[in-house]
RNA sequence: GGCGCCAUGGCGGAGUGGUUACGCAGAGGUCUGCAAAACCUUGUACACCGGUUCGAAUCCGGUUGGUGCCUCCA
């Protein structure tokens, strides 16, 4: 299994520390609002990685955090985090907001068929671990305290700029966010923020340094190391996390342990809608509900995600979602052939499903080349559209199961048509044998109303869902 | 201002130094009771300008355009 590693900027073989177990941490959502399609792109891509790891015989232990506190907003209203802001917007407490959107997110995972992570830890459930981490950093001399919080001194970590290959001197020039002038270095970041004086936050905790809340980089280090140990095999996140969040995670984790936080770093690229990044102000934050309201299935959306490579900046549009939806219908028709097995004397050319499976596995194992994997599936859908011969039934079923395991397109979730529908199809066949075209066409109309189309092939009538 | 990334046929989107990616959509045809499907044919795809090479869409340089990040963000 090869995967691009941001550490070395090259595609590398994944070699877990304790094969067959492979530990993986992915940066999850901040639960202050509905996730948009871009977020789901990323989460689905994590899922493809997990599924592929499992398919090549590894046993993934997957941690995805839920950030329910601590991210500062970019606006001038300093000291307030997104949860608090969301709470004020909705007239609820920050705790209520976090609960609502956290639950929504977890439910959404199964809606787009993302595997259940081994752990879904929340930042607010790990305050003590985060405080402990700050204490250790303090003992090792990496921290200093100013008026609004305890900060990490990035100058004490010489490798700070290496991971993201930052040019610290140059990039300060155009930074658009104002820094607290008390900070020693522009890149220094808060480990613990104090509650603003005279105001009560919904979310605040006591600490050795005063009442407040953890800085937002802290949770991933604390929870990652708690569940996966000091060095994990894979750490993944959105590409936006590379220069700041992950850079800071490495700084604060490795300063304490002296060991690499992760052996492999994966970054998923962002998508654009109408050529622009997704953002609230542009009003292009499409949600799963929007997709369903337009009549598309979330499985079609999932297929759309797989149609591009995770490292390229892909586009989302309703046109391409429709293309994916049509493509999925073809795949579904392929899967439905398992209900329409023929035992005709005439032998079909048997397909080498094992070979196809290996080809797909090879594509996915090569830095998650999902477009190539789908190319192969389409190849088979084009090849095997007439019938499945009973002699290849087992191999076919095994192949479909493999596809579902690795791509998660729910091809085996469809059920057979009803007995009544089967009788209709049989009656139509009889009518056709008698050249009673009027009766035959009438039955075809009835089936059509039930969402079934029929094709008359050399191997009999094949139905498919329209 | 700094650091990146990308430019592929109507749309989406892979890939490769010389061979049809693929998907969706379109056109013509064969077949079929009619359909549908399938099959065949078809659009002369790789931003522009140079360079390297026997040969580049694929490597190098430049130009143009787009886009992302620079402590909110998947």
């Amino acid at each position: 299994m090869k995967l691009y590693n941001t550490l070395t900027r090259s595609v590398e073989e994944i070699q877990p520390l304790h094969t067959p177990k492979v530990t993986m941490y992915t940066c999850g959502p901040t639960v202050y609002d509905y996730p948009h399609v871009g977020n789901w792109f990323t989460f689905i891509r994590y899922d493809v990685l997990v599924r592929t790891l499992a398919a090549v015989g590894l046993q993934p232990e997957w941690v995805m955090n839920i950030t329910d506190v601590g991210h500062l907003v970019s606006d001038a209203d300093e000291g307030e985090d997104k949860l608090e802001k969301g709470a004020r917007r909705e007239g609820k407490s920050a705790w209520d907001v976090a609960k609502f959107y956290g639950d929504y997110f977890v439910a959404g995972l199964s809606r787009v068929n993302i595997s259940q992570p081994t752990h879904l830890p929340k930042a607010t459930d790990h305050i003590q671990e985060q405080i402990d981490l700050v204490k250790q950093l303090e003992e090792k001399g990496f921290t200093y305290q100013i008026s609004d919080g305890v900060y990490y001194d990035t100058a004490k970590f010489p490798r700070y700029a290496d991971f993201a290959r930052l040019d610290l001197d140059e990039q300060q020039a155009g930074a658009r966010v104002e820094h607290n002038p008390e900070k020693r270095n522009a890149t220094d970041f808060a480990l613990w923020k104090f509650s603003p004086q005279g105001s009560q936050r919904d979310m605040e905790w006591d600490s050795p340094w005063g009442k407040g809340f953890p800085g937002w980089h802290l949770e991933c280090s604390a929870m990652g190391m708690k569940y996966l140990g000091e060095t994990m095999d894979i750490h993944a996140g959105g590409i936006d996390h590379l220069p700041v969040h992950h850079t800071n995670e490495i700084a604060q984790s490795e300063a304490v342990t002296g060991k690499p936080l992760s052996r492999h770093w994966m970054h998923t690229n962002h998508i654009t809608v109408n050529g622009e990044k997704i953002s609230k102000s542009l009003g292009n934050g499409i949600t799963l509900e929007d997709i369903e309201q337009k009549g598309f299935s979330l499985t079609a959306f999932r297929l759309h995600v797989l149609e591009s490579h995770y490292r390229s900046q892909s586009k989302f549009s309703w046109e391409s979602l429709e293309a994916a939806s049509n493509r999925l219908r073809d795949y579904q028709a392929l899967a439905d052939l398992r209900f329409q097995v023929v035992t005709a004397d005439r032998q079909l050319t048997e397909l080498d499903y094992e070979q196809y499976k290996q080809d797909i596995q090879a594509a996915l194992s090569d830095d998650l080349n999902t477009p190539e994997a789908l190319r192969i599936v389409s190849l088979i859908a084009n090849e095997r559209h007439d019938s499945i011969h009973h002699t290849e039934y087992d191999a076919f079923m095994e192949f479909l199961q493999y596809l579902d395991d690795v791509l998660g397109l729910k091809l085996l979730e469809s059920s057979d048509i009803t007995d009544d529908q089967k009788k209709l199809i049989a009656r139509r066949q009889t009518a056709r044998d008698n050249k009673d075209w009027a009766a035959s066409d009438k039955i075809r109309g009835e089936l059509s109303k039930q969402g079934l189309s029929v094709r008359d092939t050399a191997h009999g009538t094949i139905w498919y869902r329209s």
Side-chain angles (χ1 to χ4, degrees):
Chain A
M1 170 73 209
K2 287 183 188 165
L3 190 69
Y4 184 85
N5 187 354
T6 305
L7 272 178
T8 57
R9 315 283 155 132
S10 60
V11 176
E12 289 180 345
E13 189 72 29
I14 291 177
Q15 293 173 318
L17 274 175
H18 304 290
T19 309
K21 191 170 138 180
V22 54
T23 55
M24 166 170 164
Y25 185 96
T26 61
C27 288
T30 305
V31 287
Y32 67 104
D33 203 346
Y34 293 105
H36 54 62
V37 280
N39 297 309
W40 290 115
F41 259 72
T42 296
F43 303 145
I44 288 169
R45 283 169 168 165
Y46 296 160
D47 180 51
V48 174
L49 172 59
V50 169
R51 287 169 180 268
T52 302
L53 290 169
V56 300
L58 296 168
Q59 294 165 6
E61 181 169 7
W62 178 18
V63 178
M64 176 145 65
N65 67 297
I66 293 179
T67 299
D68 55 355
V69 70
H71 286 207
L72 296 173
V73 295
S74 58
D75 309 328
D77 48 351
E78 286 190 7
E80 186 179 43
D81 69 39
K82 285 187 165 178
L83 267 295
E84 302 264 342
K85 195 181 180 186
R88 197 178 61 197
R89 184 184 69 219
E90 301 187 12
K92 298 177 185 168
S93 79
W95 290 99
D96 292 336
V97 169
K99 172 94 171 76
F100 177 82
Y101 291 110
D103 289 349
Y104 174 90
F105 166 71
V106 173
L109 290 177
S110 47
R111 289 171 71 195
V112 293
N113 206 18
I114 291 174
S115 325
Q116 182 68 27
T118 322
H119 309 279
L120 276 170
K122 293 177 181 171
T124 52
D125 288 336
H126 298 79
I127 300 299
Q128 190 56 51
E129 286 85 346
Q130 296 180 67
I131 289 174
D132 289 345
L133 195 56
V134 180
K135 278 187 193 163
Q136 292 182 69
L137 285 167
E138 187 174 43
E139 284 163 17
K140 289 181 183 277
F142 283 91
T143 69
Y144 63 93
Q145 187 169 328
I146 55 180
S147 59
D148 67 345
V150 177
Y151 280 75
Y152 184 101
D153 187 345
T154 52
K156 298 254 171 76
F157 191 71
R159 293 187 286 114
Y160 183 79
D162 294 354
F163 180 57
R165 306 195 176 173
L166 302 173
D167 184 339
L168 297 180
D169 295 332
E170 293 298 337
Q171 76 170 29
Q172 290 168 23
R176 51 185 154 99
V177 174
E178 289 183 23
H179 303 126
N180 184 328
E182 298 171 58
K183 277 165 62 171
R184 294 178 185 171
N185 311 289
T187 47
D188 292 354
F189 55 95
L191 296 166
W192 188 264
K193 293 275 284 188
F194 301 136
S195 295
Q197 287 204 331
S199 73
Q200 169 86 35
R201 285 172 51 86
D202 286 341
M203 289 182 170
E204 58 183 11
W205 295 266
D206 289 321
S207 82
W209 312 279
K211 189 164 284 191
F213 53 101
W216 75 276
H217 308 295
L218 204 53
E219 60 174 277
C220 288
S221 292
M223 298 193 291
M225 291 195 285
K226 171 177 177 175
Y227 291 99
L228 302 177
E230 292 180 338
T231 298
M232 59 189 77
D233 294 313
I234 303 170
H235 190 131
I239 194 152
D240 52 301
H241 284 150
L242 172 55
V244 182
H245 180 53
H246 290 162
T247 290
N248 290 346
E249 260 189 76
I250 287 172
Q252 70 198 175
S253 304
E254 300 186 4
V256 167
T257 66
K259 297 172 186 168
L261 176 61
S262 180
R263 294 156 63 81
H264 224 101
W265 287 82
M266 167 191 181
H267 288 98
T268 60
N269 212 323
H270 284 3
I271 62 163
T272 58
V273 175
N274 297 325
E276 294 171 310
K277 67 176 288 196
I278 296 174
S279 77
K280 281 272 152 48
S281 57
L282 292 169
N284 55 4
I286 296 161
T287 64
L288 297 184
E289 281 67 30
D290 293 333
I291 287 170
E292 289 185 320
Q293 272 167 26
K294 292 248 186 187
F296 295 107
S297 76
L298 296 182
T299 307
F301 169 64
R302 186 179 165 99
L303 177 60
H304 178 43
V305 173
L306 303 181
E307 285 186 314
S308 60
H309 190 90
Y310 77 92
R311 281 199 286 129
S312 67
Q313 185 176 288
S314 323
K315 300 166 196 167
F316 176 89
S317 70
W318 295 111
E319 289 75 17
S320 36
L321 182 55
E322 186 172 358
S325 188
N326 292 340
R327 189 180 203 174
L328 179 63
R329 203 163 45 199
D330 284 352
Y331 289 8
Q332 194 58 65
L334 173 72
D336 283 340
L337 292 180
R338 71 191 190 277
F339 301 122
Q340 312 179 63
V341 179
V342 298
T343 54
D345 298 336
R346 182 173 152 192
Q347 188 73 22
L348 295 162
T349 310
E350 286 197 25
L351 299 182
D352 189 346
Y353 293 104
E354 182 58 31
Q355 183 60 50
Y356 285 127
K357 178 182 161 184
Q358 283 176 22
D359 290 347
I360 290 170
Q361 184 117 318
L364 293 173
S365 301
D366 181 15
D367 198 26
L368 300 178
N369 193 341
T370 51
E372 168 69 9
L374 294 182
R375 199 204 100 226
I376 297 165
V377 178
S378 288
L379 203 67
I380 298 155
N382 289 336
E383 198 66 39
R384 193 51 99 230
H385 45 71
D386 234 10
S387 289
I388 295 298
H389 198 273
H390 72 282
T391 53
E392 62 180 348
Y393 179 80
D394 290 345
F396 181 65
M397 289 301 288
E398 197 178 310
F399 178 71
L400 290 179
Q401 183 63 56
Y402 173 76
L403 286 186
D404 269 3
D405 288 347
V406 86
L407 300 178
L409 296 176
K410 302 186 180 182
L411 297 181
L412 286 173
E413 249 179 45
S414 62
S415 52
D416 201 352
I417 56 175
T418 64
D419 288 342
D420 284 347
Q421 288 170 325
K422 286 181 184 171
K423 281 176 193 162
L424 274 178
I425 289 172
R427 266 171 48 205
R428 177 170 172 276
Q429 186 56 48
T430 307
R432 291 187 69 237
D433 291 343
N434 297 329
K435 298 195 189 298
D436 183 352
W437 310 125
S440 164
D441 290 350
K442 191 175 172 224
I443 296 173
R444 183 159 65 195
E446 282 177 43
L447 288 167
S448 178
K449 280 181 200 158
Q450 299 177 29
L452 285 183
S453 296
V454 289
R455 306 182 344 226
D456 301 315
T457 76
H459 308 116
T461 300
I462 299 291
W463 56 261
Y464 61 100
R465 295 181 169 87
S466 40

